[in-house]
Structures are given as C-alpha cells and as structure tokens.
C-alpha cells in the first residue's frame, strides 16, 4: 500500500516538474512576447501618422467588408436553410420510397396469392359447374317425376270423387231400400 502511495507521489512530483518546466517555458515565451510587444509599440508610435491617414480608408473598407460580410452571411444562412430543407425532403422521400417499396412488395405478394386463389377458385367453379349440370339433370328428372305424380294424384282424386259419389248413391239406395222394406 505504501509502495502505491509512493508511486502516486512520484507521479505527482513528475507531473509537478513537468508543469514547472512548462510554466518556465511559458514565462520565457511571455517575456519574449512582451519584448516584441514593446518593439512593436515603438514601431506603432513611429508609424502612427501614416496609420491615421490609412485608418479612415481602412474604416471605409471595413464598413464595406462588414456590409459584404453581412450580405454573404445572409446568403449563406439562406443556402443553409435551403440545404436543410432539401435534406429533410430527401429523408422524407427516402422514407416514402422505403414505404412504397414495402407496399409494392406486399402488393406483389398479395397479387401472387390472389392468382393462386383464382386458380383454385376456377378449379372449384369448374367442379361446381359439373355438379350443377348433374343436379340440373337430376332436377329435370324430378320435374318429370313430379308431373307424373301430379297426373297420378289427379287420377286418384277423380277416382276418390267418383267413389264418394258412388258411396252417396249407395247410401241413398240403402235408405230407399230400408224405406221400402219398412213399407
């Protein structure tokens, strides 16, 4: 544990030394910069008259450049807005295309399934048509049977009516015979 602390302490000392060296280097650099600054200040004082004359020109140029910069910034902002809109539109189109592709695939699958179903339904229709033809034949036969049965029923009803009339006549004769018998 002590070795760990010792190692950590050594690391901290190394880092401190590195920081101290960096500080020394920066101080030296600052000193050099200060000297340069003094030299430049002197040079600036020497050229101040000339600079004042140019300053007005520079102001005009700066004003022009600022206005140009403003115009360019506005133009740049407009272009960035347009680019952003185009990117959004592109993303939207990609999304729509992806959705449309999926829909097309789904519809193609549905179409293939529908074609299969159509095949099956045609087969079923063909079978049903055959069955209908058979049933119509049977129905036609049954109609003939019904017509024949109706005729037979009509004949039976006629016989039944005749029977009833006979029975009534017989009952009348019996009454007459009984009356005669009584007489």
């Amino acid at each position: 544990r002590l070795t760990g602390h010792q190692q950590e302490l050594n690391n901290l000392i190394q880092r401190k030394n590195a920081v101290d060296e960096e500080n020394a280097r920066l101080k030296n650099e600052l000193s050099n910069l200060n000297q340069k600054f003094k030299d430049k200040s002197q040079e600036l004082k020497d050229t101040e008259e000339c600079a004042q004359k140019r300053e007005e020109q520079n102001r005009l140029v700066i004003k022009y450049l600022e206005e140009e910069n403003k115009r360019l910034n506005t133009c740049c902002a407009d272009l960035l807005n347009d680019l952003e809109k185009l990117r959004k539109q592109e993303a939207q189109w990609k999304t729509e295309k992806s959705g449309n592709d999926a829909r097309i695939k789904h519809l193609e699958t549905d179409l293939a399934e529908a074609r299969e179903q159509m095949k099956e339904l045609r087969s079923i229709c063909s079978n049903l048509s055959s069955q209908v033809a058979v049933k119509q034949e049977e129905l036609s036969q049954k109609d003939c049977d019904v017509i024949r049965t109706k005729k037979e029923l009509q004949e039976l009803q006629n016989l039944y009516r005749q029977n009833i009339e006979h029975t009534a006549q017989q009952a009348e004769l019996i009454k007459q015979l009984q009356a005669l018998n009584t007489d």
Side-chain angles (χ1 to χ4, degrees), residues 83-153:
L83 180 65
E84 188 60 30
K85 283 177 190 169
L86 287 172
R87 281 188 178 147
K88 283 180 183 172
Q89 201 172 30
E90 181 191 20
Q92 187 182 343
W93 286 344
K94 279 183 181 172
T95 305
E96 285 175 8
K97 185 186 180 303
S98 174
N100 287 338
D101 288 348
R103 205 173 305 130
I104 286 168
K105 199 169 185 181
H106 185 67
L107 287 171
E108 283 173 348
T109 305
D110 286 354
L111 183 62
E113 287 174 6
R115 282 184 177 145
E116 278 302 311
Q117 286 178 357
M118 285 273 289
K119 265 190 204 171
E120 289 172 18
L121 288 173
R122 278 193 185 119
S123 174
I124 290 168
C125 275
S126 176
N127 290 340
L128 287 174
S129 292
S130 301
Q131 290 177 21
V132 164
V134 169
K135 292 292 178 191
Q136 281 178 333
E137 186 63 37
E138 288 176 6
L139 189 61
S140 177
Q141 188 61 46
K142 299 264 186 217
D143 282 344
C144 290
D145 291 350
V146 166
I147 290 168
R148 195 177 61 249
T149 305
K150 277 182 179 175
K151 280 183 183 174
E152 289 173 3
L153 180 65

Side-chain angles (χ1 to χ4, degrees), residues 45-65:
K45 283 176 188 173
D46 294 343
T47 56
E48 205 168 62
E49 255 182 54
C50 184
Q52 280 175 352
K53 288 176 188 174
R54 289 185 186 170
E55 196 173 320
E56 189 57 36
Q57 289 176 343
N58 286 344
R59 276 195 200 116
L60 291 172
V61 170
I62 286 169
K63 189 176 179 185
Y64 168 77
L65 288 174

Side-chain angles (χ1 to χ4, degrees), residues 22-97:
E22 181 66 13
N23 280 343
R25 188 185 66 73
L26 288 172
K27 279 180 187 174
N28 190 23
E29 198 174 315
L30 183 62
S31 174
N32 289 339
L33 286 172
N34 277 332
Q35 187 57 47
K36 282 182 185 175
F37 179 72
K38 284 176 187 172
D39 294 346
K40 290 291 176 187
S41 294
Q42 189 60 45
E43 193 179 320
L44 183 64
K45 283 176 188 173
D46 294 343
T47 56
E48 205 168 62
E49 255 182 54
C50 184
Q52 280 175 352
K53 288 176 188 174
R54 289 185 186 170
E55 196 173 320
E56 189 57 36
Q57 289 176 343
N58 286 344
R59 276 195 200 116
L60 291 172
V61 170
I62 286 169
K63 189 176 179 185
Y64 168 77
L65 288 174
E66 282 174 348
E67 285 171 3
E68 186 66 12
N69 191 30
K70 231 185 249 182
R71 188 184 68 75
L72 288 173
N73 280 339
T74 304
C75 186
C76 194
D78 291 345
L79 287 171
L80 284 172
N81 283 338
D82 289 348
L83 180 65
E84 188 60 30
K85 283 177 190 169
L86 287 172
R87 281 188 178 147
K88 283 180 183 172
Q89 201 172 30
E90 181 191 20
Q92 187 182 343
W93 286 344
K94 279 183 181 172
T95 305
E96 285 175 8
K97 185 186 180 303

